Amino acid sequence: MIGKLKGLVEGISDDKALIDVNGVCYETHCSGRTLTAMPAKGEAVSLFIETYVREDQLKLFGFISESEKQWFLLLMTVQGVGAKVALAILSTLSASELSSSIALQDKAMVGRAPGVGPKVAQRIVSELKGKAPVGGVIDAGVQGLQEALGEGVASGNVADAVSALTNLGYAQAQASAAVARIVAKEGDGVETEKLIRMGLKELSS
């Protein structure tokens, strides 16, 4: 099985890249995020690879990071999520946004990805809760607070501050991360109004 490819970028299309490894070109299916991060044609690139083998086909899926590959594999453990949908999700959400969406049980955020209906989005946030890949991309304290918000058990001042920041137009993941950083420094006894002010300062910095 192929686990990693190191070669030169031969070409990039809407959903795949051609990687030239010593004269052999490998077609790798990639997320939009990975394709955007690719260097120019002729330049060196290294991709983490998942080899997909079936009786009638063999496909390579390429990822710019080990984290993205692990999320791809994790997403495909959910019923209704195949390779195409998993790549669509990873094209729409960064690994950090995906972690936050699952912690917050924010199915609407996951549902932004093409091909992800409400039922599949609900299964993703429910079944993958607490299963972020090892070496996750968000701070444990932030994730803990986001999980408390998702479960409706966060303290009132924290929940109210996050709600207020969300109403001001910030994404819930951004708002909860900002409030979590403040709580880590100041403790969870900060009054709601002060949390909002400090949250706004944190988000604008």
Side-chain angles (χ1 to χ4, degrees):
M1 292 293 184
I2 298 171
K4 196 171 187 180
L5 284 180
K6 290 184 178 181
L8 303 178
V9 177
E10 177 67 21
I12 297 174
S13 63
D14 290 340
D15 63 348
K16 61 179 75 77
L18 279 178
I19 310 300
D20 183 344
V21 182
N22 297 323
V24 178
C25 283
Y26 293 88
E27 183 179 81
T28 60
H29 297 264
C30 306
S31 70
R33 201 167 294 274
T34 284
L35 292 173
T36 299
M38 287 270 195
K41 182 178 179 179
E43 293 187 10
V45 69
S46 177
L47 291 179
F48 295 91
I49 298 294
E50 175 62 21
T51 307
Y52 182 92
V53 181
R54 291 293 181 270
E55 288 184 4
D56 59 342
Q57 61 180 311
L58 187 154
K59 287 185 177 180
L60 301 182
F61 293 92
F63 308 93
I64 204 70
S65 67
E66 179 69 26
S67 174
E68 189 186 35
K69 177 182 174 179
Q70 293 304 317
W71 271 116
F72 175 77
L73 296 173
L74 193 58
L75 284 165
M76 290 209 300
T77 65
V78 178
Q79 181 185 353
V81 179
K84 185 177 180 179
V85 171
L87 286 181
I89 293 170
L90 292 170
S91 296
T92 305
L93 303 176
S94 68
S96 178
E97 289 169 336
L98 187 52
S99 293
S100 294
S101 299
I102 291 168
L104 290 161
Q105 295 292 284
D106 189 351
K107 63 181 182 182
M109 186 77 164
V110 177
R112 289 169 48 196
V116 179
K119 289 183 179 179
V120 172
Q122 181 61 61
R123 282 201 294 268
I124 289 170
V125 298
S126 298
E127 294 180 21
L128 299 188
K129 184 181 176 184
K131 295 183 180 179
V134 176
V137 292
I138 59 175
D139 179 83
V142 173
Q143 187 161 2
L145 183 141
Q146 291 177 333
E147 288 176 353
L149 288 166
E151 294 168 2
V153 297
S155 57
N157 60 328
V158 169
D160 289 344
V162 171
S163 177
L165 292 170
T166 303
N167 289 336
L168 288 171
Y170 292 99
Q172 191 176 27
Q174 289 178 307
S176 59
V179 172
R181 288 193 290 270
I182 295 164
V183 169
K185 297 175 193 172
E186 308 287 338
D188 59 6
V190 182
E191 292 183 357
T192 302
E193 289 186 7
K194 187 177 179 181
L195 264 182
I196 295 169
R197 289 197 303 272
M198 295 177 75
L200 285 169
K201 186 176 179 181
E202 182 82 21
L203 287 163
S204 63
S205 61

